[in-house]
């Protein structure tokens, strides 16, 4: 059941209706059932896997809280990490590492006996594993007390708006909300609906249209010149942003209708002026997860330079691998780690003033944007070889006009849509209006009319629905 | 007291929400219907559906790229409507002719009906061709066709309610061109016979089939046109000789069928434009489509050969 489908709109309407009319004590059990129903639309068998991950982490948290003995607490924490990440590792990375080892063995003319397994990747596994695992870690650290209700904890792990592709929530921010008595609030309902409409517009009109061009070009990069590949890469830059941020918006909007607050996952990332700034704005929930549970425990930035370098590389290589079991994602993560190194060196030579000039800000924005664009090549390409073709052709064969695809008109519409997105976001940066529930300078009738027109845009320009890119992670 | 205040506040909130939803619906449907009206005007202008007593060109991509409407109109000295869509199958082309007939009960001055070797073999063309007719679903004959061809009831109902959902990029572009008066349709490129030979060897070319149901359907349409007194000129817009020779026997069978129709019905004529153009490969963008240069020459030829076949204007 995709967010961008009539089935989901109907499902959400029914869930909201029943949720607010049901007695309070039945609401969380109802959300749990609804969430499992939502997940089972993909696979009912794999729902047992989520059930296991949920119960295991719940029990680990309980055991950690139960004892003062440091060794036992630590043992349970490690046990939780090994089992949760072991499941994730098996489903997501077994074949990746297995195939890589086979290649190495074959290169050395040695026999490799472990076969390739036909493993189905459970949708959303990276998201719900991280969300469930954060609970025993937070209990161990004392950041959150043990949850007494397995029902509430289960609902926290499988809460349908963010189950498949985040935002990755923490027990400290979401779990306690399942104990709150939410009343139907028309203001929150309307805010949620508006954010869902904006998300649908970004997904169906911008991301899915751009995908048609990008998929065509990236399927055979060797057939295209540098300017065409550059255009496809720019398109992918906006496609992936619109695709993923749209999912987050629909998730946040759906949860808000039900009275729940999810964390903001994107904050105009292409307006970032440094790489650090970019990662504060892109997939915020994942960045914050890695910062809290990996980067800071390793020592973070308050350590020696060599250790800081090590920490950054570990976090970004893990982040790359988290996105997908392929070397392209590892290179993508590695590039971002390298950008951090370059940025630190650059700022050591030319420290950032408190109030940078307009020129310096614009320069920072352009450089950061293009560094991110370059890294997306590896994220999107089917293989390292393909990515290399794209990069080298962009750098060496940029003379001609890009191939505008089978429909020049469609491509021109796509370009206009990107400008529209940037114009809307400029309005957000300037504080003229906000999609994220803060005060807006635009009068209410105009806001409503704007969203009605976005719906017209979806009807007129929407491409055929396709799955969200981040579902595969 | 507190409960009643709370209820009042909730009621006020609900009224505010209902007002917002109502305003949203009004704006949505106003924009939907308003923009649809503008786009429909563009489509009708582009296809020439507003024009009375016209020479109606009906066809698929061969006609879209092969015939220059403006040049033909100028050379013939009579209005020409080009109601042709890439991907239109035989059934769609018949619908286009009938659709024009419902808009103009006196019928066109003549129908130049694009024919080709593959016209009775539906395989290989788009299964979504029907979507090109959604903007005209208000028309009874088009609506009946769409009810039969919609891929799902949701597809049909959504477009009944939301008019803007009836358009796709192809139709939007056509509407834009109709509104701006841009009727150019030539393409560049040059046919590569070696590539066709390779594709034929690999079995990647579209085979010709003669589907009896399609032949019967076409026969019924010609009988209907004959009864209504609509002159129909079955016009073979050139395809390359290499393409025509891929399946010579079946190809000849199709030509025989077309000539047979012309012999059977008084108002039907067969105009074969293949000679002398099919062998001049520099006039083609690919095996089946003329390029801009080919379009110019074939349109001039069509005007010359069509003029004596046309009945006097009303």
């Amino acid at each position: 059941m995709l967010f961008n489908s009539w089935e989901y709109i109907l499902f959400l309407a029914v869930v909201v209706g029943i949720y607010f009319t049901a007695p309070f004590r039945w609401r969380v059990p109802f959300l749990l059932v609804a969430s499992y129903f939502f997940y089972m639309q993909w696979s009912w068998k794999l729902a047992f896997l989520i059930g296991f991950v949920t119960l295991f982490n719940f029990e680990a948290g309980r055991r950690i809280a139960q004892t003062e003995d440091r060794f036992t607490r630590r043992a349970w924490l490690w046990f939780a990490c090994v089992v949760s990440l072991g499941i994730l590792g098996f489903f997501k990375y077994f074949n990746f590492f297995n195939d890589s080892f086979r290649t190495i063995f074959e290169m050395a003319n040695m026999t490799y006996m472990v076969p390739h397994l036909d493993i189905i990747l459970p949708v959303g596994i990276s998201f719900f594993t991280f969300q469930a695992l954060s609970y025993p870690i937070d209990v161990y650290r004392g950041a959150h007390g043990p949850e007494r209700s397995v029902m509430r904890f289960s609902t926290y792990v499988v809460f349908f708006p963010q189950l498949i592709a985040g935002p990755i929530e923490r027990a400290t921010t979401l779990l306690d909300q399942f104990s709150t008595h939410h009343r139907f609030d028309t203001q929150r309902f309307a805010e949620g609906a508006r954010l869902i409409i904006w998300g649908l517009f970004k997904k169906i009109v911008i991301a899915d249209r751009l995908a048609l061009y990008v998929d065509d070009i990236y399927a055979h990069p060797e057939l295209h010149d540098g300017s065409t590949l550059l255009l496809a890469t720019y398109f992918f830059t906006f496609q992936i942003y619109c695709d993923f941020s749209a999912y987050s918006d629909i998730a946040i909007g759906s949860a808000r209708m039900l009275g729940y607050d999810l964390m903001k996952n994107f904050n105009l990332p292409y307006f970032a002026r440094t790489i650090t700034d970019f990662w504060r704005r892109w997939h915020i929930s994942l960045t914050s997860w890695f910062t809290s549970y990996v980067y800071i425990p390793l020592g973070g930035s308050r350590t020696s330079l060599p250790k800081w370098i090590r920490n950054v590389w570990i976090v970004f290589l893990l982040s790359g691998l988290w996105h997908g079991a392929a070397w392209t994602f590892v290179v993508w993560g590695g590039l971002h780690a390298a950008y951090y190194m370059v940025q630190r060196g650059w700022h050591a030579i030319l420290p950032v003033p408190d109030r940078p000039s307009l020129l310096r800000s614009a320069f920072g924005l352009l450089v950061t944007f293009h560094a991110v664009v370059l890294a997306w090549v590896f994220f999107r390409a089917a293989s390292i070889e393909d990515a290399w073709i794209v990069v080298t052709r962009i750098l060496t064969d940029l003379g001609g006009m890009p191939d505008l695809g089978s429909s020049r008109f469609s491509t021109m519409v796509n370009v206009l849509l990107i400008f529209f997105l940037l114009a809307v976001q400029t309005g957000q940066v300037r504080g003229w209006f906000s999609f994220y529930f803060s005060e807006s300078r635009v009068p209410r009738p105009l806001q409503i009319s704007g969203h009605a027109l976005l719906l017209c845009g979806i009807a007129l320009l929407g491409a055929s629905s396709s799955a969200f890119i981040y579902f595969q992670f | 007291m507190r409960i009643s205040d709370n209820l009042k506040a909730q009621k006020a909130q609900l009224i505010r929400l209902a007002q917002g939803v109502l305003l949203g619906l009004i704006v949505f449907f106003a924009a939907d219907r308003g923009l649809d009206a503008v786009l429909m005007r563009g489509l009708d202008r582009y296809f020439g559906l507003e024009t009375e007593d016209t020479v109606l060109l009906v066809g698929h991509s061969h006609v879209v790229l092969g015939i220059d409407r403006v040049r033909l109109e100028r050379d013939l000295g009579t209005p020409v409507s080009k109601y042709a869509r890439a991907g239109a199958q035989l059934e769609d082309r018949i619908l286009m002719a009938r659709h024009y007939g419902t808009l103009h009960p006196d019928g066109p001055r003549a129908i130049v009906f694009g024919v080709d070797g593959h016209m009775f073999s539906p395989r290989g063309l788009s299964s979504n061709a029907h979507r090109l007719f959604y903007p005209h679903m208000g028309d009874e004959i088009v609506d009946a066709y769409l009810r039969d061809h919609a891929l799902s009831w949701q597809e049909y109902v959504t477009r009944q309610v939301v008019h803007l959902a009836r358009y796709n990029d192809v139709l939007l572009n056509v509407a834009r061109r109709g509104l701006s008066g841009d009727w150019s349709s030539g393409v560049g490129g040059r046919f590569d016979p070696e590539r066709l030979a390779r594709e034929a060897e690999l079995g990647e070319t579209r085979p010709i089939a003669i589907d009896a149901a399609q032949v019967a359907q076409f026969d019924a349409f010609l009988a209907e046109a004959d009864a209504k007194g609509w002159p129909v000129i079955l016009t073979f817009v050139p395809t390359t000789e290499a393409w025509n020779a891929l399946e010579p026997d079946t190809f000849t069978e199709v030509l025989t069928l077309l000539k047979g129709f012309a012999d059977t019905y008084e108002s039907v004529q067969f105009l074969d434009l293949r000679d002398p153009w099919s062998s001049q490969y520099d006039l083609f963008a690919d095996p089946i489509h003329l390029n801009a240069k080919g379009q110019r020459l074939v349109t001039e030829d069509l005007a010359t050969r069509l003029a004596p076949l046309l009945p006097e204007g009303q």
Side-chain angles (χ1 to χ4, degrees):
Chain A
M1 193 191 302
L2 298 173
F3 274 1
N4 48 332
S5 68
W6 285 113
E7 287 83 0
Y8 180 74
I9 302 295
L10 184 67
F11 170 77
L12 182 64
V14 170
V15 170
V16 171
I18 295 177
Y19 181 80
F20 283 111
T21 47
F24 175 63
R25 68 176 186 282
W26 289 111
R27 289 185 180 179
V28 171
F30 169 69
L31 273 187
L32 181 64
V33 172
S35 297
Y36 267 98
F37 173 81
F38 176 78
Y39 192 80
M40 285 177 176
Q41 302 304 304
W42 279 280
S43 165
W44 64 269
K45 287 178 191 164
L46 292 172
F48 288 103
L49 183 73
I50 302 190
F52 175 75
V53 171
T54 304
L55 293 176
F56 181 79
N57 280 290
F58 178 77
E59 182 61 14
R62 198 178 68 83
R63 297 281 184 141
I64 290 167
Q66 220 171 33
T67 176
E68 294 291 317
D69 180 55
R70 214 175 144 194
F71 174 79
T72 313
R73 286 165 62 85
R74 186 168 282 204
W76 270 104
L77 178 65
W78 274 104
F79 191 31
C81 290
V82 168
V83 170
S84 298
L85 296 176
I87 290 171
L88 175 64
F90 173 74
F91 279 96
K92 193 162 175 176
Y93 302 108
F94 177 83
N95 278 331
F96 168 64
F97 285 114
N98 190 30
D99 295 345
S100 300
F101 282 129
R102 181 177 299 109
T103 308
I104 294 168
F105 272 65
E106 282 170 1
M107 283 164 67
N109 284 328
M110 290 164 71
T111 314
Y112 188 74
M113 303 293 282
V114 186
H116 181 94
L117 301 181
D118 288 329
I119 301 169
I120 299 168
L121 181 64
V123 64
I125 188 170
S126 305
F127 291 91
F128 66 72
T129 304
F130 271 35
Q131 181 152 323
L133 185 58
S134 71
Y135 167 72
I137 302 175
D138 281 348
V139 172
Y140 177 82
R141 290 173 167 184
H144 197 276
E147 172 58 54
R148 279 183 299 174
S149 164
V150 70
M151 180 78 72
R152 274 198 295 270
F153 182 74
S154 300
T155 313
Y156 153 75
V157 175
V158 298
F159 187 42
F160 72 88
Q162 39 84 254
L163 170 60
I164 306 296
I168 303 167
E169 290 291 338
R170 317 273 188 86
T172 44
T173 53
L174 181 60
L175 185 51
D176 294 341
Q177 293 187 49
F178 292 103
S179 309
T180 311
H181 189 161
H182 300 288
R183 288 184 188 284
F184 180 72
D185 182 332
T186 54
Q187 170 87 10
R188 292 176 66 93
F189 182 86
E191 286 169 349
R194 287 208 292 267
L195 191 57
I196 288 173
I197 291 171
W198 176 233
L200 287 173
F201 183 87
K202 280 194 288 186
K203 167 66 179 159
I204 300 173
V205 177
I206 306 180
D208 287 352
R209 288 180 63 97
L210 293 175
L212 297 174
Y213 183 86
V214 173
D215 291 351
D216 195 31
I217 302 298
Y218 265 80
H220 298 287
E222 71 281 3
L223 299 180
H224 303 282
D225 60 11
S227 50
T228 305
L229 291 166
L230 182 63
L231 181 65
T233 306
Y234 278 135
F235 275 11
F236 179 69
T237 301
F238 288 97
Q239 180 203 341
I240 191 158
Y241 166 70
C242 287
D243 193 282
F244 192 20
S245 69
Y247 185 94
S248 294
D249 287 350
I250 299 169
I252 295 167
S254 302
R256 194 160 182 92
M257 283 178 153
L258 288 160
Y260 293 85
D261 291 321
L262 300 182
M263 71 186 293
K264 193 173 170 181
N265 216 13
F266 290 87
N267 185 20
L268 312 172
Y270 295 146
F271 285 77
R273 288 158 193 186
T274 62
I275 283 296
T276 316
D277 190 19
F278 174 78
W279 281 103
R280 285 192 198 117
R281 294 161 175 264
W282 179 274
H283 203 172
I284 298 165
S285 64
L286 181 71
T287 309
S288 125
W289 200 98
F290 273 114
T291 305
S292 297
Y293 301 123
V294 181
Y295 184 66
I296 290 174
L298 286 171
S301 54
R302 292 176 183 175
T303 184
S304 62
L305 183 65
K307 281 191 176 171
W308 174 80
I309 291 172
R310 179 203 67 184
N311 297 347
V312 168
W313 278 91
I314 287 176
V315 166
F316 277 105
L317 292 179
L318 282 178
S319 173
L321 262 184
W322 179 91
H323 280 86
W327 289 110
T328 46
F329 293 110
V330 178
V331 173
W332 172 76
L335 270 174
H336 277 278
Y339 294 160
Y340 257 76
M341 307 292 115
V342 173
Q343 179 187 280
R344 183 157 172 161
W346 175 257
H347 287 169
I349 300 164
L350 209 68
V352 185
D354 290 338
R355 298 188 67 184
S357 67
L358 188 66
L359 189 67
R360 179 157 177 161
S361 295
F363 178 73
L365 192 147
L366 270 178
V367 170
T368 305
F369 176 75
H370 283 93
V372 170
V373 169
L374 173 67
W376 285 135
V377 171
F378 289 87
F379 197 95
R380 176 59 185 81
S383 64
I384 298 280
E385 292 77 21
D386 277 6
W388 190 244
I389 289 171
V390 175
V391 172
T392 49
R393 292 216 176 159
I394 286 175
L395 293 176
T396 60
D397 182 20
L398 211 52
M401 276 291 291
D403 173 3
L404 296 181
S406 55
S407 170
R408 192 172 282 232
F409 176 77
S410 298
T411 308
M412 294 316 294
V413 171
N414 291 346
V415 171
L416 290 176
L417 284 167
I418 290 173
F419 280 115
F420 172 73
L421 175 78
L422 292 174
V424 168
Q425 297 201 327
T426 304
Q428 286 178 270
V429 170
R430 302 228 166 208
W432 296 333
F433 49 84
S434 167
F435 287 107
Y436 292 97
F437 326 131
S438 50
E439 281 301 309
S440 173
R441 287 189 219 165
V442 180
R444 185 168 169 264
L446 269 184
Q447 283 182 41
I448 294 169
S449 303
H451 282 83
L453 293 177
L454 285 178
L455 284 175
C456 285
I458 292 172
L460 185 64
L461 299 169
S464 300
S465 299
S466 54
F468 289 83
I469 294 174
Y470 265 66
F471 276 21
Q472 62 191 293
F473 308 138
Chain B
M1 188 65 185
R2 196 177 286 170
I3 291 172
S4 70
D5 281 353
N6 202 4
L7 281 174
K8 269 186 192 170
Q10 280 206 349
K11 193 177 164 189
Q13 270 194 6
L14 280 173
I15 290 171
R16 194 173 146 82
L17 180 68
Q19 284 171 339
V21 171
L22 188 66
L23 173 64
L25 285 172
I26 290 170
V27 173
F28 176 80
F29 281 107
D32 179 69
R33 297 305 194 261
L35 194 51
D36 174 50
V38 173
L39 293 171
M40 275 290 280
R41 176 149 176 74
L43 281 183
D44 288 350
R45 279 193 72 196
Y46 186 82
F47 289 134
L49 296 180
E50 296 168 331
T51 316
E52 296 272 354
D53 191 32
T54 183
V55 171
L56 177 67
L57 291 176
V58 167
H60 62 332
S61 59
H62 297 198
V63 172
V64 171
L65 299 175
I67 309 296
D68 179 352
R69 174 193 162 269
V70 177
R71 184 178 294 273
L72 186 66
E73 195 167 73
R74 192 189 59 206
D75 291 356
L76 285 175
T78 185
V80 172
S81 296
K82 185 171 158 185
Y83 195 9
R85 304 166 188 256
Q89 304 187 33
L90 177 62
E91 189 180 8
D92 305 322
R93 285 176 252 170
I94 293 172
L95 176 69
M96 289 190 257
R98 285 183 174 143
H99 180 208
Y100 181 91
T102 61
L103 297 172
H104 305 282
D106 290 339
R109 187 168 169 203
I111 299 174
V112 174
F113 198 104
V115 296
D116 64 286
H118 286 78
M119 65 181 292
F120 299 118
S121 41
R123 283 169 295 164
L125 285 182
S126 167
S127 61
N128 284 328
H130 69 279
R131 291 195 171 163
L132 298 173
F133 292 95
Y134 270 118
H136 289 107
M137 73 190 297
D139 185 283
E140 199 179 327
I141 193 170
V142 176
D143 189 47
Y145 166 86
L146 287 170
R147 266 186 269 123
D148 282 348
H149 288 74
L151 299 180
S152 65
W153 66 268
Q154 290 99 323
E155 177 190 302
Y156 178 81
V157 171
T158 306
R159 284 158 180 78
Q160 277 283 8
V161 179
V162 182
H163 288 196
L164 290 179
R166 299 173 178 182
Y167 295 86
N168 57 21
D169 276 10
V170 174
L171 291 165
L172 270 180
N173 194 22
V174 167
R176 176 193 68 79
R177 296 175 66 178
L179 290 169
S180 63
D182 173 9
W183 277 274
S184 60
S185 59
V187 290
R190 193 164 172 162
F191 166 55
D192 176 0
E194 285 173 16
R195 184 174 167 178
L196 176 65
R198 277 198 306 274
E199 286 173 358
E201 242 178 61
L202 294 169
E204 287 175 357
T205 51
R206 186 176 163 223
I208 301 179
I210 299 179
D211 180 61
Q214 297 241 357
V215 176
Q217 195 179 21
F218 192 49
D219 189 23
F221 164 69
L222 293 177
E224 179 189 324
D226 195 46
K228 287 179 176 169
W230 296 351
V232 179
I233 297 143
L234 306 177
T235 306
F236 200 115
V237 177
T239 47
T240 57
E241 211 163 64
W243 175 260
N244 300 341
L246 287 176
E247 292 179 72
D249 295 341
T250 336
F251 185 77
T252 309
E253 212 178 318
V254 173
L255 289 183
T256 310
L257 269 171
L258 293 172
K259 285 173 190 160
F261 287 131
D263 294 339
T264 307
Y265 298 104
E266 199 181 326
S267 61
V268 177
Q269 298 173 79
F270 181 50
L271 179 56
D272 191 348
L273 297 176
R274 281 178 303 150
D275 273 342
W277 313 112
S278 286
S279 55
Q280 298 182 39
Y281 290 171
D282 60 319
L283 303 181
F284 289 87
D286 59 44
I288 53 174
H289 298 117
L290 290 158
N291 59 25
K293 186 180 169 194
Q295 182 193 68
R296 182 170 55 80
L297 295 170
V298 169
T299 303
E300 283 169 0
D301 187 30
L302 173 64
T304 312
R305 291 157 79 171
L306 189 60
L309 305 179
L310 292 178
E312 286 301 311
Q314 289 159 13

